[in-house]
Amino acid sequence: MRLPVAKVFLAFLFALIVGGSVVGGSRVMAQTAAPAASTATLGQADRIAALEKQNADNAALIAAAQTSGDNAWMLVSAALVLMMSGPGLALFYGGLVRKKNILGTMMQTFAMMAVITVLWAFVTYSLAFGEGNAFIGGLHNVFLKGVGLAPDVKYAATIPLQTFMVYQLMFAIITPALITGAFAERMKFSAMLVFMVLWALIVYSPMAHMVWGKGGLLNASLGGKFPCLDFAGGTVVHVTSGVSALVTALYLGKRLGYPKVPMPPHSVVLSFIGACLLWVGWFGFNAGSALSSGTLATSAFVATHFGAAAAAIGWSVAEWIRQGKPSALGAISGAVAGLVAITPASGFVTPMSALWIGLIAGVFCYLMVVKVKAVFGYDDSLDAFGVHGAGGTIGAILTGVFANSVINPIFGVGKATGLLEGNGHQLLNQLVGVAIAWSLSIVGTLVILFIVDKLIGLRVSEDAEREGLDLSQHGEEGYDWAH
């Protein structure tokens, strides 16, 4: 009896020990499992937070890279547009005049690079791009107040406002310089300076504001009443300068001996080099007007090149048919005419449309220079009106015909942009923009010419004109070796 009882007692004791171990182990496991689960949850939250921070950092790096890329392209574009003035336009115009006037002609363009820059910093940037009304900007940004390194998203979200400002400055420089081609060889240097300062204030600033400024009457991207498509300055730059050039040429009268005395270019070589520099610089003019380094800049770049090439061919063929041979001067003039005409359309049209615009402009500007000028007999010395006024006008109108929403859906995705796409009303808007540019240029230029003429006189004396601008206005000669 004692032996079975002992066995039962031992079995009970063993079960008690094993059960206690199991229960105790379970309690320990339970006590350690909770911290383990808590640690796992905490680790997952840390990983999510780390991933979110990494995503935010990556987004910031991408934005910074985009800003750097866009800013680099815009600074290069600004330099290219400045190159269009000097040496491009200076050489192009300088080669077209007689050798006694080369320095005087080149000096007019160079002076714009200095004078317009200072004027821009003082007041004209504010008048063109500052907050104002539908016709002119205000004075909030005089002396570049508020024009810092942060972007203005209404103009360009990824580049500093100061970059935008200096890029637009280059347009303000070359526009009045284009006018000098009409009165070459006969205006006082002092009168030219006063005329250009007033012209920048009275004509250029309001036109730039209406087309590109906040709240501008013709601004297509910021809700203007008459949205005129002008990607890089067809109306703002070329129509205003070309029409003002014609008005100035008519007001001043013809050069001594014109048209009986031959006045051929003294160096087509210089003009040829200048035209090639203009062609290259124009990529900054048009593709830079995308205000970023994205696909729109590519489209404008391609359209610019195609338009220039087609116009050079169009002018040369027309000249070949009429005169029996194509000239170098005709070819480079045609290229410039094409660059002018494609300027308003460059950010809105396909490459094939750019070819059509260039071809039409090349032939049209050739007829304006050769036929229309001869019929009316005005002395537009270097054909500033025939190329820029006429080319800018036909280009602005054709923009309304060929603009395509596939290239630039400026009115919204899926909405027609130009006439061929189904938006016939856009052609009317283009005509309104051209009419305003013509009217402002004619009236503004006449008022300025009258004021300057009464104050200091516009034209050099007959003796000074015979002597040449180099000596009479600057006391030096471009070709001392000629003596």
Side-chain angles (χ1 to χ4, degrees):
M1 288 292 294
R2 291 181 179 176
L3 185 59
V5 171
K7 288 182 178 179
V8 171
F9 177 76
L10 290 173
F12 175 75
L13 183 62
F14 178 78
L16 185 63
I17 293 171
V18 172
S21 299
V22 171
V23 172
S26 298
R27 288 176 179 173
V28 172
M29 288 179 65
Q31 290 173 356
T32 57
S38 177
T39 302
T41 303
L42 184 60
Q44 186 177 10
D46 288 343
R47 285 195 296 272
I48 293 174
L51 287 173
E52 288 177 346
K53 183 178 184 302
Q54 185 179 5
N55 287 338
D57 291 343
N58 288 340
L61 289 172
I62 291 170
Q66 182 179 1
T67 295
S68 295
D70 290 346
N71 195 46
W73 167 238
M74 292 310 303
L75 291 174
V76 170
S77 295
L80 287 171
V81 180
L82 182 62
M83 187 185 74
M84 291 172 64
S85 294
L89 187 66
L91 285 170
F92 184 68
Y93 276 178
L96 294 177
V97 297
R98 290 167 288 182
K99 64 181 181 180
K100 64 182 179 179
N101 294 311
I102 180 172
L103 287 183
T105 300
M106 297 179 81
M107 184 61 178
Q108 290 171 346
T109 296
F110 189 80
M112 293 302 95
M113 295 168 66
V115 173
I116 297 300
T117 295
V118 175
L119 187 66
W120 188 254
F122 284 175
V123 67
T124 45
Y125 171 77
S126 187
L127 293 176
F129 292 98
E131 297 278 0
N133 54 43
F135 301 97
I136 190 71
L139 300 175
H140 308 293
N141 300 121
V142 293
F143 303 109
L144 299 183
K145 180 182 178 182
V147 183
L149 300 179
D152 184 328
V153 294
K154 287 188 176 181
Y155 287 135
T158 60
I159 61 173
L161 182 57
Q162 214 166 91
T163 298
F164 175 81
M165 178 276 297
V166 80
Y167 177 69
Q168 295 296 341
L169 164 62
M170 304 312 171
F171 285 70
I173 288 171
I174 195 171
T175 306
L178 294 172
I179 304 173
T180 65
F183 57 73
E185 303 189 310
R186 60 194 187 278
M187 183 183 277
K188 293 179 183 178
F189 185 71
S190 58
M192 184 276 301
L193 290 175
V194 177
F195 170 80
M196 292 306 184
V197 167
L198 293 175
W199 191 88
L201 292 167
I202 296 173
V203 178
Y204 184 82
S205 293
M207 196 66 209
H209 181 78
M210 281 189 279
V211 175
W212 294 328
K214 298 174 186 177
L217 180 70
L218 304 172
N219 194 315
S221 61
L222 294 176
K225 186 175 181 181
F226 299 99
C228 178
L229 300 178
D230 189 351
F231 192 72
T235 54
V236 179
V237 175
H238 298 293
V239 173
T240 58
S241 63
V243 173
S244 296
L246 176 63
V247 172
T248 307
L250 292 172
Y251 190 97
L252 279 174
K254 303 173 184 178
R255 288 168 289 177
L256 294 176
Y258 181 89
K260 296 180 180 179
V261 176
M263 300 177 183
H266 87 280
S267 177
V268 177
V269 172
L270 291 182
S271 296
F272 203 101
I273 296 170
C276 291
L277 288 169
L278 284 169
W279 191 329
V280 173
W282 226 289
F283 294 123
F285 201 85
N286 288 356
S289 290
L291 300 176
S292 69
S293 56
T295 55
L296 187 57
T298 298
S299 181
F301 193 109
V302 172
T304 298
H305 190 62
F306 281 28
I313 293 172
W315 186 303
S316 296
V317 169
E319 188 178 45
W320 205 336
I321 293 173
R322 185 174 184 272
Q323 297 181 195
K325 60 187 70 173
S327 67
L329 180 58
I332 61 176
S333 298
V336 173
L339 291 164
V340 169
I342 199 62
T343 289
S346 55
F348 299 107
V349 300
T350 64
M352 293 300 103
S353 295
L355 288 175
W356 278 111
I357 291 173
L359 184 65
I360 294 169
V363 176
F364 180 73
C365 291
Y366 171 75
L367 294 175
M368 290 296 297
V369 168
V370 174
K371 286 287 190 180
V372 176
K373 181 180 174 181
V375 169
F376 289 97
Y378 54 85
D379 185 11
D380 176 7
S381 306
L382 310 182
D383 296 312
F385 172 71
V387 172
H388 296 278
T393 298
I394 193 68
I397 294 171
L398 291 176
T399 299
V401 175
F402 289 103
N404 195 312
S405 61
V406 173
I407 302 299
N408 188 343
I410 192 168
F411 300 129
V413 178
K415 293 185 177 181
T417 307
L419 175 65
L420 295 182
E421 202 179 16
N423 182 13
H425 188 72
Q426 188 55 42
L427 189 58
L428 176 61
N429 289 335
Q430 298 302 112
L431 291 171
V432 170
V434 168
I436 290 174
W438 271 74
S439 301
L440 178 61
S441 300
I442 291 171
V443 175
T445 302
L446 281 173
V447 170
I448 296 167
L449 288 170
F450 180 80
I451 292 172
V452 178
D453 196 17
K454 295 302 179 184
L455 288 176
I456 60 175
L458 288 166
R459 188 161 179 163
V460 297
S461 66
E462 291 188 6
D463 290 340
E465 187 173 341
R466 290 191 181 93
E467 184 180 34
L469 299 183
D470 291 3
L471 283 172
S472 68
Q473 301 301 297
H474 305 290
E476 54 190 347
E477 293 182 278
Y479 299 104
D480 289 328
W481 50 265
H483 298 295

